[in-house]
Amino acid sequence: MDNTLSHEQLVQIQAHIHAHQHVPGGLMPLLHAIQDDIGYVPESIYPDISKALALSVAEVHGVVTFYHHFRTHPVGKHILQICRAESCQAMGSEKLESEVKARLGVDYHQTTADGSLTVLPVYCLGNCACSPAVMLDDEVYGRMTAEKVSELIGEVCHG
Amino acid sequence: MVKVYVPVDSTALSLGAERTAQAIVAEAQKRAIPIELVRNGSRGLFWLEPMVEVATAQGRVAFAPVQPKDVPGLFDADFLNALSDSAKAHPLYLGLTEELAWLKKQQRLTFARVGVIDPVSLDDYLAHDGYKGLKNALAMTGADIVKTVTDSGLRGRGGAAFPTGIKWNTVLNAPAEQKYVVCNADEGDSGTYSDRMVMEDDPFVLIEGMTIAGIAVGATQGYIYLRSEYPHALKTLNEAIRKANLAGYLGEDILGSGKTFHLEVRRAAGAYVCGEETSLLESLEGKRGLVRFKPPLPAIEGLFGKPTIVNNVISLATVPIILDKGAQFYADYGMGRSRGTLPIQLAGNLKQTGLVELAFGATLRALLYDYGGGSATGRPIRAVQVGGPLGAYLPESQFDTPLDYEAFTKIWAVLGHGGIVAFDDTVDMAKMARYAFEFCAVESCGKCTPCRIGSTRGVEVMDKIVAGKNHTKNVQVLRDLSDTMLNGSLCALGGMTPYPVLSAINHFPEDFGVSSKEAAA
Ligand SMILES: Cc1cc2nc3c(=O)[nH]c(=O)nc-3n(C[C@H](O)[C@H](O)[C@H](O)COP(=O)(O)O)c2cc1C
Ligand code: SF4
Ligand code: FES
């Protein structure tokens, strides 16, 4: 038992496992479903997943860790992804990333002290026509500057 | 009631289209003017988003870019009566959308409906020639459908440019009880967004293309493997699939034909290598995305070991117009062995970024200057990367190369998925070469040594060069390393990382602290 998970979360997870048990190639959609609800994929549930999907725990672990998108630890309430790829570099993303990180006082993969925001690198958001781009939760923002990112964070995370 | 169009495309949203739409609705309410707000896709003139269009008797009139603060002024100028003199006098008035030079010069076949229709309205899709291709296909044999696609000359738009019809033919002739159609919607290349636009702005065309593919080869199940960075595309696709099922365009007994095709979207999870087709199949099967050895080809042993078509979004979304208008219609566009059109994506440091669909053959220079308008910063364009992170960097002396697969091969470059990323003269090409190795190291699936170890080694060597250490010797080390990666990698991630690296050294040796003579050594 993982006592960092609430009873409600455990119920949610079990429901997802049940729903994906017989889906062909169901592990990926299952991991997405869990992370969408809980915010990460807790390692404590690998045994349950492995039993239901007839995989070894090592296989489940291997899949979770292969993909950049999946996380095994809780993150902040909101997620800011800063694009590091070429088109955004051509429009000054390097300056943007260092300024944003400095303002927030965190590096990539870290969460602000108040737990409100985790900052992640991303390689292209498909918004290359309006570089540099960032994504805050599920929304993309183009032609960003550090000031604009600060404003956004203010509105979305503290608004 | 006047129809007002405000895009839902995520790049338009990234510039505030949602607020613009809300401001228009609020202002109309305040003034008690009834309007019908339509959320269309983007016309692809991204430098002008959010673009608002107003329907008139002569066609749609564009105003752009419209921010919420502009909205009261537009109403004051009677912009809803877009042919009025006061509307024409407004500073954001652009005239009839279809007459905008940037759009009018294009040859939009795959993107014919993009930006025009409401993406999730099946009625709108049908009213704009939608599902004509499928109706024709349902009256043909599988072999005839495949022959039509082959005769059109369509080549895969995901990067490798393999003839689509030939791939389909292999699947058609592979005997099996179960076959699959998989759409590669992992669009990971920097500088590309045409797949995203199709999925967000005209999802039914992809659904129709996949359905035709399934009927052609006898596959009853399709999957769209969609990158996790595209939440809007996910919503739009699922909504369109739901509607297609309800209306009998998907599922069992499609349009009473007795044919079956089911379609489902599966989310990727942020691994670039999963855009490689065999890695993608592993991922769809719920495994780590390790690249498979070929043979067997996915067309023979693909998803769950069954014959599988794997095609890019644009390849599949181009099939409906080919089945509607015929192979010859499509093949009449283009040059040499590059038939048809290419949706080109202008990105990076350009003034006028956006989607330009043209027959193959236009020069890079025309794209950069006639369409792109030169650099956004106003400085000279120094380097251009075409074809994503594994594509070569081209210097000004190569800007007259026509966009044609073979012409690009000749100059040791690739067209790839048609993304063009421009850099001005402040770019440091040594940094870009370092980044290419770094990206390869981050994204390597780890299956083969040249890629896994070589990429990390490449970063180290680049760090020495950037630190000013022994340039001539280290450039030689880079060349040897690139050779090993080129020849010894299992897939193009390791095998093509040398393209950006070596092209940077060859064309911009001064950034690596060597003369062109030393660089050539
Ligand atoms: C590292 C790597 C990444 C790739 N990423 C994509 C991608 O995101 N989308 C795509 O369609 N093809 C991608 N490809 C090419 C696919 O392997 C494959 O050629 C393509 O999906 C076939 O479809 P097409 O013939 O319609 O182009 C990638 C290849 C490699 C080696
Ligand atoms: S080249 Fe790299 S990504 Fe491709 S199979 Fe080898 S290790 Fe994997
Ligand atoms: S490179 Fe940043 S959004 Fe594509």
Side-chain angles (χ1 to χ4, degrees), chain B residues 255-300:
Chain B
L255 300 181
S257 66
K259 301 267 177 19
T260 298
F261 190 68
H262 299 284
L263 185 54
E264 193 185 315
V265 184
R266 286 286 175 93
R267 283 157 78 190
Y272 177 76
V273 71
C274 287
E276 195 283 333
E277 57 184 7
T278 63
S279 164
L280 185 159
L281 294 173
E282 289 288 301
S283 183
L284 267 182
E285 291 180 8
K287 302 176 192 156
R288 295 194 291 155
L290 295 185
V291 172
R292 294 178 184 169
F293 289 100
K294 284 193 256 188
L297 290 172
I300 310 272

Side-chain angles (χ1 to χ4, degrees), chain A residues 23-25 27-28 32 36 62 66-69 84-87 89-90 123-124 126-129 135 139-140 142 155, chain B residues 11 14 19 190-191 193 196 227 231-232 266-270 283 286-289 348 353 385 389 422 432 435 438 443:
Chain A
V23 174
L27 182 56
M28 294 279 287
H32 273 296
D36 285 351
F66 182 86
Y67 296 97
H68 302 302
H69 179 81
R84 296 198 60 213
E86 289 90 338
S87 173
Q89 288 182 43
Y123 297 88
C124 194
N127 205 45
C128 333
M135 193 163 187
E139 295 301 327
V140 181
E155 284 168 31
Chain B
T11 292
S14 89
R19 287 186 186 184
S190 168
Y193 45 80
R196 180 186 62 66
R227 70 192 307 243
H232 286 280
R266 286 286 175 93
R267 283 157 78 190
S283 183
K287 302 176 192 156
R288 295 194 291 155
T353 52
Q385 187 177 35
M432 300 318 296
Y435 172 81
E438 185 191 352
E443 300 296 339

